[in-house]
Amino acid sequence: MPPERSSDLRKYYAKHAKSDRLDSRLLARLPMLHPDGLHPETGLGPGDAMKRAAKLHCTLTHRRTQCLARLDTLLEILGLPGTA
């Protein structure tokens, strides 16, 4: 493939999301741009720690919300004014 065509194809890939059937044909041609083969990426590298921290934050926030809802329900059952 001439360098001009591969450059145009790379520009196209950079601008478009590859999530529908039309782009699947272009994705099938992607290995032609990398003759030595594609290498699978197993992790996020430096982003792994951030992903773990974000997941932990989400889990803690969810648990906190559940606990507050339980407390509000118990206060309502007891007939005491809740926080709402």
Side-chain angles (χ1 to χ4, degrees):
M1 174 179 285
E4 302 84 32
R5 286 184 61 202
S6 65
S7 174
D8 291 340
L9 198 52
R10 281 192 193 100
K11 287 177 188 174
Y12 177 84
Y13 286 143
K15 291 181 184 177
H16 294 81
K18 290 107 184 132
S19 59
D20 61 3
R21 290 183 184 189
L22 295 175
D23 286 327
S24 66
R25 291 183 185 184
L26 293 173
L27 281 174
R29 292 188 223 154
L30 188 61
M32 291 189 319
L33 296 176
H34 303 279
D36 42 325
L38 299 175
H39 305 289
E41 185 61 40
T42 56
L44 293 176
D48 280 336
M50 182 62 136
K51 183 178 178 182
R52 281 192 304 273
K55 184 170 180 149
L56 178 63
H57 177 266
C58 182
T59 302
L60 290 174
T61 304
H62 180 71
R63 288 174 59 188
R64 176 185 172 269
T65 304
Q66 285 181 326
C67 288
L68 289 176
R70 261 189 230 113
L71 284 174
D72 280 343
T73 303
L74 288 173
L75 287 173
E76 187 179 327
I77 289 171
L78 293 172
L80 300 173
T83 59

